[in-house]
């Protein structure tokens, strides 16, 4: 039996997908798996039982990835599960910015009670004349699951799309319509586009990614949309650009003490993934990632350890080792097994930065002494005998 702890409310659809040998618990310290959405875990001290944390969403800036990796706790996220939800809100933001819908609605609301409201509306509508987005240039910074969907939808709506992503994978490139154009630099994208939207994860290296230099390269009167993370944008610089008219409108899904003061901004309360469908998809995906890791040792969509998938356990026993990415680790593991004449049926070893993961199917079961010898190898962070579902 595995125990799962919820730090936030998680969609019931996700919880329904828990297999019978997984049970929810109210005691975090006894949980092998933790489900989380927005709760801040940076000050968390995890129990010794905790093997994995799954974030029902894409962003993981609320989780201390490096520390958890050092403690042998695999962190998962759910890339793409909320992509359609965020994409639709980005399109909404584009249209709101182009057509002056919100100020028009507010103006008309102030006229309530007027007997000749229909006549006033006809006379006043000229102050809210907008523009069409068809034929306009949209720059998409970051072409992951969400950025790719935004790019494809914008092309379908008749926009001329420029995409920039220096880390775009081959698989990622296949998701993007061939009609989207490739920008070779962030500056080129900024210079070309009437609208710009950013879709990259926030890391320790990219706060203020959009700052004075990038804004200076933008067209006069550009509209900037931020549905990723507020800290990706230097909002002090954005405020000055809005005041000068360099940026016509800032559309952001992140309310903070500064962004809500901008008169030329549309600020929404982090609605990107706030649809019933997105919450269901994220929860189901997070639960399945946890179960597959706890049952089978497989890692899919981890953000602090390498992905590794060997299907269901085969042979007499499967073992999993989280360890430092150092030379001769495989040799030391193999040496322990060879001393006991234990043959390896199948093995996968993957690395990600300073950390690595080794998964092995064995022809015979280990003794307690064998397990202790594997745990004692310098650089091994966590050893686990995987039971299989």
């Amino acid at each position: 039996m595995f125990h799962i702890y919820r730090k936030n409310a998680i969609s019931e659809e996700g919880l329904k997908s828990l297999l019978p040998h997984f049970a929810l618990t109210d005691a975090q310290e006894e949980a092998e798996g933790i489900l989380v959405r927005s709760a801040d875990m940076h000050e968390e001290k995890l129990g010794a039982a905790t093997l994995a944390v799954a974030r029902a969403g894409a962003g993981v800036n609320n989780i201390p990835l490096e520390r958890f990796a050092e403690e042998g706790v695999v962190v998962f996220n759910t890339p793409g599960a909320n992509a359609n939800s965020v994409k639709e809100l980005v399109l909404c933001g584009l249209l709101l910015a182009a057509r002056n819908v919100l100020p028009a609605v507010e103006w008309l609301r102030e006229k309530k009670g007027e007997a000749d409201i229909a006549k006033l509306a006809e006379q006043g509508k000229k102050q809210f004349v907008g523009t069409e987005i068809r034929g306009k240039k949209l720059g998409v910074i970051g072409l992951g699951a969400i950025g790719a969907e935004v790019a494809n939808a914008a092309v379908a709506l008749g926009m001329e799309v420029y995409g920039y992503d220096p880390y775009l994978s081959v698989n990622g490139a296949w998701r993007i319509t061939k009609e989207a154009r490739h920008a070779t630099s962030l500056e080129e994208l900024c210079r070309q586009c009437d609208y710009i939207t950013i879709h990259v994860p926030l890391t320790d290296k990219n706060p203020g990614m959009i700052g004075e230099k990038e804004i200076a390269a933008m067209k006069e009167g550009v509209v900037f949309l931020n549905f990723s993370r507020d800290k990706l944008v230097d909002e002090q610089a954005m405020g000055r650009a809005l005041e000068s008219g360099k940026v016509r409108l800032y559309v952001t899904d992140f309310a903070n003490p500064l962004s809500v003061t901008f008169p030329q901004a549309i600020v929404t309360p982090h609605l990107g993934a706030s649809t019933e469908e997105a919450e269901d998809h994220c929860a189901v995906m997070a639960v399945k990632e946890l179960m597959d890791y706890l049952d089978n040792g497989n890692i899919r969509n981890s953000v602090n350890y390498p992905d590794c998938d060997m299907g269901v356990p085969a042979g007499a026993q499967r073992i999993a080792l989280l360890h430092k990415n150092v030379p001769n680790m495989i040799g030391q593991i193999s040496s322990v097994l060879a001393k006991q004449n234990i043959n390896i049926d199948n093995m996968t070893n993957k690395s990600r930065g300073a950390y690595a993961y080794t998964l092995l199917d064995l022809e015979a079961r280990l003794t307690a002494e064998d397990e202790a010898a594997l745990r004692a190898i310098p650089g091994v962070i966590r050893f686990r005998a995987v039971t299989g579902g």
Side-chain angles (χ1 to χ4, degrees):
M1 177 68 72
F2 287 111
H3 301 91
I4 305 298
Y5 179 77
R6 292 179 291 178
K7 286 195 71 67
N8 298 105
I10 299 292
S11 161
E12 287 299 318
E13 286 302 310
L15 301 180
K16 285 177 187 175
S17 61
L18 284 169
L19 295 172
H21 60 288
F22 289 84
L24 293 176
T25 178
D26 292 328
Q28 181 174 326
E29 64 275 7
E30 74 172 13
E32 289 87 4
I34 295 176
L35 289 166
V36 63
R37 290 181 62 202
S38 57
D40 188 348
M41 299 190 70
H42 283 278
E43 303 303 319
E44 290 279 340
K45 183 169 176 56
L46 299 180
T50 303
L51 301 172
V53 172
R55 160 80 162 96
V60 289
N61 55 308
N62 58 319
I63 303 171
L65 304 182
E66 182 73 17
R67 177 163 66 84
F68 282 5
E70 193 66 35
E71 295 172 4
V73 176
V74 179
V75 179
F76 299 92
N77 70 345
T78 57
N82 62 7
N84 186 70
S85 177
V86 178
K87 173 202 76 178
E88 290 185 0
L89 192 62
V90 173
L91 296 178
C92 175
L94 272 172
L95 294 167
L96 290 175
R99 297 302 301 271
N100 296 314
V101 172
L102 293 180
V105 168
E106 282 301 314
W107 176 83
L108 200 55
R109 184 176 283 119
E110 291 171 0
K111 307 298 179 188
K112 64 183 178 183
E114 299 279 355
D116 54 351
I117 186 70
K119 183 179 179 181
L120 287 171
E122 284 298 320
Q123 292 173 344
K125 69 181 182 182
K126 58 181 177 292
Q127 63 188 299
F128 303 110
V129 172
T131 60
E132 297 183 5
I133 61 171
R134 186 173 66 176
K136 303 301 188 299
K137 295 179 180 179
L138 172 68
V140 182
I141 304 169
L143 295 166
I146 295 171
E149 289 216 15
V150 170
N152 293 344
V155 166
L157 289 170
M159 300 191 81
E160 189 176 322
V161 174
Y162 290 76
Y164 173 72
D165 190 335
Y167 306 107
L168 183 64
S169 67
V170 173
N171 286 339
W174 279 107
R175 291 196 297 258
I176 304 164
T177 174
K178 63 183 180 181
E179 314 224 345
R181 304 186 182 194
H182 172 60
T184 58
S185 69
L186 184 54
E187 183 182 358
E188 178 195 349
L189 180 145
C190 290
R191 199 171 54 243
Q192 292 280 352
C193 297
D194 307 297
Y195 297 83
I196 299 172
T197 180
I198 187 167
H199 300 285
V200 302
L202 178 66
T203 70
D204 293 339
K205 298 179 180 178
N206 65 4
M209 178 180 178
I210 304 301
E212 295 278 7
K213 177 184 173 184
E214 292 72 26
I215 292 171
M218 294 178 190
K219 279 185 173 183
E220 198 75 19
V222 67
V223 172
F224 194 90
L225 301 98
N226 181 6
F227 289 83
S228 289
R229 284 292 180 267
D230 54 350
K231 288 183 173 58
L232 290 167
V233 176
D234 178 346
E235 290 191 334
Q236 296 280 356
M238 182 59 69
R240 291 189 289 273
L242 289 166
E243 192 174 340
S244 71
K246 176 72 174 183
V247 177
R248 179 171 67 83
L249 194 65
Y250 180 46
V251 185
T252 177
D253 202 23
F254 305 99
N256 59 49
L258 185 57
S259 67
V260 296
T261 67
F262 298 151
Q264 305 93 345
I266 297 174
V267 184
T268 51
H270 204 183
L271 296 177
S274 292
T275 63
E276 293 177 6
E277 295 86 350
E279 291 183 8
D280 289 348
H281 295 157
C282 286
V284 169
M285 190 171 177
V287 165
K288 288 184 175 180
E289 289 166 349
L290 271 185
M291 291 194 300
D292 195 20
Y293 178 64
L294 296 176
D295 267 346
N296 304 312
N298 297 322
I299 296 178
R300 291 177 295 128
N301 299 318
S302 173
V303 288
N304 64 346
Y305 273 98
D307 283 2
C308 177
D309 190 344
M310 281 179 34
V312 297
Q317 186 178 42
R318 174 171 288 182
I319 62 172
L321 297 99
L322 299 168
H323 55 84
K324 293 292 183 67
N325 184 18
V326 294
N328 197 35
M329 182 59 72
I330 300 302
Q332 294 181 81
I333 295 169
S334 299
S335 178
V336 171
L337 299 176
K339 285 178 182 178
Q340 303 301 325
N341 293 316
I342 297 175
N343 196 38
I344 299 172
D345 272 342
N346 193 13
M347 180 183 79
T348 299
N349 170 261
K350 297 286 183 67
S351 64
R352 177 180 184 147
Y355 300 96
Y357 187 51
T358 301
L359 202 56
L360 305 99
D361 284 335
L362 308 178
E363 285 189 349
R365 298 185 69 83
L366 299 176
T367 65
E369 291 78 12
D370 299 331
E371 293 185 4
L374 289 169
R375 287 190 178 93
I377 295 173
V380 168
I381 298 170
R382 174 164 259 163
F383 164 88
R384 184 164 69 100
V386 179
T387 58

